[in-house]
Structures are given as C-alpha cells and as structure tokens.
Amino acid sequence: MHLSTLKPHFSKFFPSLLILLVASILSGCMNGSEVDERLESIRDAKRAPGTSAKEILSEEKFKSIWLEVHYMEGFPPSASALSNLEDWILKHTNKSQGLELTLKEIPAAGQDNYSVTEVREIEDQNRTAYNFGNKLGMYILILDGYYEKDTDTQASLGFAYRNTSIALMGKRVDERSGGFAKPDLETLETTVLEHEFGHLMGLVNLGASMVNEHEDDDNSGHCDNGECLMYWAVESSYIYNHFGGEVPKLGANCLADLKAAGGK
C-alpha cells in the first residue's frame, strides 16, 4: 500500500459530472437534494486510506455496501476470488443489508506502468458507486500493467489509494500466480484483495486504533506478525516466498482492532 499524500483530482472531471447531474435534474431523475448528496459523496471518496474505517466496519451510518469492480480488458478477476472477498468483508463488517457487487469491463489503457495519480484519474472517469442513503460505495480497479515504482526486487501486486478504493495490478498478479512455487490465481487475488481491504478498514494504525501495539517498525501500516494477512510481504512479489498455498488470516491483534472500530 502506498500512503502518498492525497491530493484530490475533483476539478478535472467536475464540469462533465455537473453536466450529467443537470441533465438528470431536467429529465426528472434527480432533485436538488439528491444532486447535493451525490456531489458530497463524490468529494467524500477522495480521502486517504483508513479514514472511512468506522463507516465500513460499523452500521452507524451505512447498512450495506455497493462494491463496484472495474477490470481492464484481458484481466477479469476470478469469480471465486470475488466471492471469497465478499464473504470476508461481510464476516468482518456490521452490514445488516449485505453487499451488492457489480462487475464491468473497461477499455484497456495499454500502459506499461501506472502512477497513483493516473489510477485516481481512471477511477474518476469510470466509477459510479458512491455513497447514497444508507449504502456505502466502494471501488476496485484492476489494471493491465504495473505500478510505476516497481523495481527488480520489489513489485507491487496492489495498493489502497483512497478511503474506499483499491487497485489490483492485474498483469503482475498473473505473472506471480500459477507455476512452480507460486500460488494459484484465485489464492493470490483473494489474498491481495483482502489485504488491501484491510487497509481500507483502518489496518494497521490507519484509522482503526490499535488495541495492542503491533505495527511493524520497518513497514508502517502493516502488522508485525509474520503469519497475519496484514504482514507487509502480502502485497509484494515476496508473497509466494513467505506464505504457503493458503490465504493468510488476520492475526489476533488485527481482529481486536477491527472489533474496537465497530466491526465483528
């Protein structure tokens, strides 16, 4: 996960969004208060990872989740990985009205590398799942390339880049799954998706306060328990050197943090 300074990129797509909202009003689809709520929910989705931890975990404000998944052409997620993620989210959150998942292919950008800024801009151009009423909008973007800061020894499989948004590096995940001494695609996708959602839920020390000190001194935002899902190696190319063939589980300290922040 890359905790770079969050700089909203609202102005670039605001004019187009405003035109769409005005058109909705004129057609009778949305009234003024609904437009205000829509604009506010879009602004709200531009915050840093972890800042929506209590909103995701508890039922104080939102009773359900709308999870929108966009994947670039050629890199669809496995159905089993999405099912695993849905079960995992509902296991750890208090959402009495459940989770709705929508899946859509978007055009491939055809880039070798993506910056965090470029990922945010792609989301802004495509995302439709924002907070509405008692439904919390969340977003996954699966890319057809690599993270721009990857090196020969360190390759990112995914990262959380906003308070309700994560990216999965589809091309890198494909390369790092299957074959000798590597996890299968479903296991790797599930592991990385759950790890990044853990960051959105405030782990570690990102919005869910620690009940017991367990943040890795050398890798901020990650657990110091080498067997925990939130260990730093999970989101890197080192994952198949460290873990076996199963998706790692959250450690006791991470589970305690989620419960204290309003989760199960």
Side-chain angles (χ1 to χ4, degrees):
M1 181 191 60
H2 309 283
L3 300 178
S4 55
T5 303
L6 190 72
K7 296 181 179 178
H9 296 273
F10 189 70
S11 59
K12 290 186 178 181
F13 70 101
F14 183 81
S16 298
L17 174 64
L18 187 58
I19 291 172
L20 291 174
L21 291 176
V22 170
S24 295
I25 294 172
L26 294 176
S27 66
C29 296
M30 298 179 71
N31 58 41
S33 62
E34 289 173 333
V35 170
D36 290 341
E37 181 179 358
R38 179 70 168 178
L39 289 172
E40 180 59 31
S41 67
I42 293 172
R43 293 189 186 98
D44 182 71
K46 304 288 188 275
R47 295 181 286 149
T51 54
S52 288
K54 292 184 179 180
E55 296 173 358
I56 296 169
L57 291 166
S58 76
E59 200 168 47
E60 291 182 10
K61 188 174 182 179
F62 299 105
K63 298 184 182 299
S64 66
I65 291 174
W66 175 13
L67 177 57
E68 183 174 38
V69 182
H70 284 169
Y71 65 92
M72 289 189 173
E73 184 181 357
F75 294 92
S78 63
S80 52
L82 292 181
S83 178
N84 292 339
L85 176 64
E86 181 175 356
D87 292 343
W88 185 85
I89 292 172
L90 293 176
K91 177 181 178 181
H92 295 294
T93 62
N94 282 297
K95 293 289 180 276
S96 61
Q97 295 181 11
L99 185 151
E100 174 189 354
L101 189 149
T102 58
L103 180 67
K104 180 182 177 181
E105 180 183 275
I106 62 175
Q111 294 180 213
D112 289 333
N113 302 295
Y114 292 89
S115 67
V116 175
T117 297
E118 289 170 329
V119 170
R120 290 173 180 152
E121 290 173 349
I122 293 169
E123 175 188 331
D124 292 341
Q125 294 164 7
N126 292 280
R127 178 173 174 172
T128 63
Y130 293 99
N131 304 342
F132 187 78
N134 62 10
K135 182 180 292 186
L136 172 67
M138 303 189 76
Y139 186 73
I140 297 174
L141 176 61
I142 304 175
L143 298 148
D144 62 348
Y146 310 110
Y147 178 53
E148 68 167 0
K149 294 185 179 180
D150 282 355
T151 66
D152 291 337
T153 57
Q154 182 69 29
S156 297
L157 300 174
F159 53 88
Y161 60 94
R162 282 176 172 161
N163 55 315
T164 57
S165 308
I166 67 171
L168 190 71
M169 313 313 292
K171 193 171 185 178
R172 184 71 71 189
V173 169
D174 277 1
E175 291 176 353
R176 294 293 193 262
S177 60
F180 179 72
K182 297 179 181 180
D184 60 68
L185 180 61
E186 174 191 343
T187 298
L188 186 55
E189 284 182 332
T190 299
T191 301
V192 178
L193 289 171
E194 290 181 1
H195 176 95
E196 300 307 335
F197 261 81
H199 287 312
L200 299 188
M201 294 174 178
L203 299 173
V204 174
N205 200 27
L206 296 179
S209 298
M210 292 186 291
V211 176
N212 301 300
E213 178 65 41
H214 63 105
E215 186 175 16
D216 189 336
D217 291 336
D218 298 322
N219 298 278
S220 62
H222 293 90
C223 186
D224 60 8
N225 177 0
E227 303 303 316
C228 178
L229 174 67
M230 299 311 297
Y231 190 63
W232 71 271
V234 169
E235 62 186 4
S236 76
S237 58
Y238 292 110
I239 182 172
Y240 56 85
N241 293 327
H242 184 79
F243 295 102
E246 296 183 357
V247 178
K249 300 183 182 301
L250 289 171
N253 284 324
C254 284
L255 288 172
D257 293 349
L258 293 185
K259 292 178 182 178
K264 294 179 181 177

